Amino acid sequence: MQIKLSDPVEKLFMVGPTYAKRLEKLGIFTIEDLLYYFPFRYDDFSLISPIGHLQPGETVTITGKVESIVNEFTKNGRKVQKAQISDNTGKIEAIWFNQPFLTKTIRAGESYNFSGKCEWFGREKVLLSPEYECIKHQVSSIKGKNEINNVHTGRLVPVYPETSGISSKWLRSRIKIALEIFSNQIEEFLPDEMIKKENLVSEKEAIFQIHFPDNQTWAQKAKDRLSFDELFLIQLSSKIRKSLWQKKTLTKKLSVKKKDVDKVVDSLPFKLTKAQERCLNEILNDIGKDIPMNRLLEGDVGSGKTVVATIAAYAAYLNGSSTLFMAPTEILANQHFSTLQSLLSPLGITIELITGSRKPKVQSAKCKVQNCGKNIPKIIIGTHALLYQDFTTNEIGLVIVDEQHRFGVEQRALLAQKGKSPHFLTMTATPIPRSVALTVFSDLDLSIIDEMPVSRIPVKTWVVPKEKRGAGYDWIKTRIKDTPEQAFIICPLIEESESLKDVKAVSIEYEKLAKNIFPDLKIGLLHGKIKSKEKEKILNDFKEGRLDILVSTPVVEVGIDIPNATIMVIEGADRFGLAQLHQLRGRVGRRNLQSYCFLFSEKQDDKSLKRLKYLETTNSGLKLAEADLSLRGPGDIYGIKQHGFFKLKIASLSDINLIQKTQKAVDQILEINSVLKSRLEKYRMTPVSN
Ligand code: ADP
Ligand code: MG
C-alpha cells in the first residue's frame, strides 16, 4: 500500500521507533509534520572554493579527497580529530574536537564536501569543525526531479530547533528523504488566482525551498508563502468558529436598562472608570440580544474586570437567570467568591462556591440549609469542578470564565455545553495586542479596560545594576522589618514549564535568602510542585502577615491579592517578557500604599538593560506587550508561550501588513464559497424515479 503524508513518521525510511518517540517532543507525529517542521535559520555554506584559494576568516565549502584521518590527544588530554584533505589546487587540514567517531564515519581515500570556517591554527590555515558530506552519497541518491544534492554542505544549510537525541543534521537527512519521496503529495489549497495576485510560490515549492533553498531570495519566498498560509488559516478557522457560534441556538435576552444596574454600581465604594463603563455597556448591550455573546474582556490585573463581570451577573439575575463564574484555581475562586458576596449578598442574591475541596455533597447539604429553591437564580462560583456538576436548578444564562486559556481543551469543550447556549464572557489579564487579538481571536468580540482606577499609585520600578544588589537587600530589610509591609521574591523558570531543576534553583535561592540575607525575617517558599493544600496554607500565612517574604517561581496566581505586599523583587528579569514582568509587578501596589519593584538581571548588556528600563517608565500592560512584540517577537508575550494560547510557527504577528492581506484573502475565499453555496441552494434536484 502506498505510504501517505498523513502516515506515522515511523513509516519513513530510516526513522525507527526510538526516533519517532523523540520526534513527538517536537510535535512531529506524521510524515507531513516532518515536512512542516521549519528551520529557524540557515548556515550559509554556499561559497565554494578551491582549497588553494582559501582565505582565513571565510566560511566556505571545499570538495576534496581525504588523504588521512586520525585521533590525537592534545596536551591537556582532549581528543582531536585531524583530517588531511586535498584537491588539485592544494591541501588543508580539518580539525574537530572530541568527536572520536569521526575516524570511523569519514573514510580515507574518498571524496567529501567540507563546510565551515577557514581559520589560523598556529601558523597553519585549517578548517575548524567543518560539516562534512560524502560525495558518493549524491551519486547513489534517488534520481528524479525531486532529487536534492547536498544537504549539510555547499548550500544554505537549514538549522532546526533541536531536542535531545534529534540534531539538525539528523533532521536534514530525513527531511531530504521525505521531500524526495513525498513532495508530489503536497497539495495546493489556494486558488490559482490568489496565488498569482499575491505573488506567492506554490505550496510544494515553498516546502521544498524552506528546507533547502536555492538562495536567500528563495528562502524568503518560501517564508512569505508559508507565513501567508499560517495567518490565512488561523483567520479562516476563527471566522468559521464565529459563524458557527452565531448559528447556535438563540439564547435568552438578558436585557436591562442602565438604571437597573445602578443599585449595584451606586453601592460600590468607588466610581467606575470610563473604561469600565465602556466595557460594561458593551457587555450589557450584547447580552440584551438573543444571539449568544462571545466576548473577551481584557485588562491589567487590578483594572477592575471582576467588578464589571459582577454587574453582568447581576443583570442576568434581574432577568431570572443564573450565572456560572469559573476561575482557574481554588485561590482565585475563593477570592472571587468573597468579592461577589460582598457586592451582591446585601441585595439578597444567593452565591455559591464549588471547588475541588468543597465537594458537591457538602454543597447540596449546604444548599438545603440555605433553602435555595430550584427556580431562584443564583451565582455559582468555582474551579473546573463546576464542569462536572449537573446544573438542573436553573437556566444558566451567563457563563463567565476567568483566564480561560488556563483550562484544558477538554474542559473548555465541557464548558461550552453548559446551559442552553448561554452568553459567554471570557476575562484575561494577559495583555494581548490588538493585532494579535484580531488575528487569533477574531471570533471573539473584544473589550479592553485600558485604564487603571485612579486610586492606584503606580509601582516604582528600578532595574538594579549588579553592584547595587546588596544595597537593595538592605533597603528591603529596613522597609519590611517590624512593619506590615511584605515582599515577593520571584525566581525565573529555567525551562519552559516548571521542572525539578526550577524547584531546585528556587529552593537554593530560598536557603540563601533565609540564612545569609534576611536571617531575622520570616520567609516562605512556594513553587508548582508543592501540594495544593500546602500551597494554600503558605499563601494564607503570607496574606495574613505571618510571613514577611515569599520566595516563589512565577507560578503565584496572577490575580492573587495580598494587600500588604509592597515590594516585588524579580530575579533573572532578562528571562521574562516585559508584559510578564508587568503582571508580576501587578501583585504589589494593590492598596493605596506606595509599592516598589526591583528587577535583577543576569545579562548586563545595553540591549537587555534598555529593554527592562521600559518598565521604569511604562505602566500599561498592553503597551509593554506591544513593545515585546516588536522587540522579541510574539513568542515572548506573557501567557502566550507559557499557557499555550497559540504559538506561530513561521509568521510574525508584528507583520500588520500580512495580517491585513490574509484577512482580505479569507473574505475572498468565503465570498467564493457563499456564491457556491447560494448556487447550490438554488439548484433544484429532480427526484429520481425508478
Ligand atoms: P481585576 O479582576 O481586573 O484584577 P478587580 O475587579 O479584582 O480587578 O479589582 C481590583 C481592585 O480594585 C478591587 O479591590 C476592586 O474593588 C478595586 N476597583 C475596581 N474598580 C475600581 C475603580 N473604578 N476605582 C477604584 N477601585 C476599583
Ligand atoms: Mg482579578
Side-chain angles (χ1 to χ4, degrees), residues 270-273 276 300-307 453 455 590-591:
F270 47 75
K271 209 168 142 335
L272 291 181
T273 60
Q276 279 173 311
D300 272 359
V301 172
S303 62
K305 297 182 295 296
T306 313
V307 175
S455 60
R590 298 186 63 97
R591 290 295 175 273

Side-chain angles (χ1 to χ4, degrees), residues 402-451:
D402 197 10
E403 303 293 348
Q404 174 171 297
H405 55 281
R406 294 184 55 183
F407 294 95
V409 175
E410 178 203 349
Q411 294 171 342
R412 280 184 259 182
L414 274 173
L415 194 64
Q417 293 161 16
K418 291 288 162 203
K420 288 185 229 146
S421 305
H423 294 286
F424 235 88
L425 179 66
T426 307
M427 304 199 290
T428 184
T430 302
I432 307 163
R434 223 168 248 281
S435 69
V436 176
L438 288 176
T439 315
V440 187
F441 303 120
S442 61
D443 57 325
L444 303 179
D445 294 303
L446 186 63
S447 290
I448 302 182
I449 307 187
D450 49 8
E451 170 186 17

Side-chain angles (χ1 to χ4, degrees), residues 472-487 518 521 564 566-567 593-596 598:
Y473 284 144
D474 288 343
W475 188 91
I476 293 168
K477 213 178 297 177
T478 52
R479 189 92 202 170
I480 54 184
K481 189 155 194 274
D482 307 321
T483 71
E485 291 185 47
Q486 295 165 293
F518 303 112
L521 294 175
N564 286 324
T566 56
I567 298 169
L593 297 168
Q594 176 63 59
S595 295
Y596 306 87
F598 298 93

Side-chain angles (χ1 to χ4, degrees), residues 206-221:
I207 292 297
F208 242 92
Q209 295 285 339
I210 198 72
H211 294 293
F212 301 111
D214 292 346
N215 50 44
Q216 294 287 2
T217 313
W218 272 101
Q220 189 58 46
K221 280 187 191 177

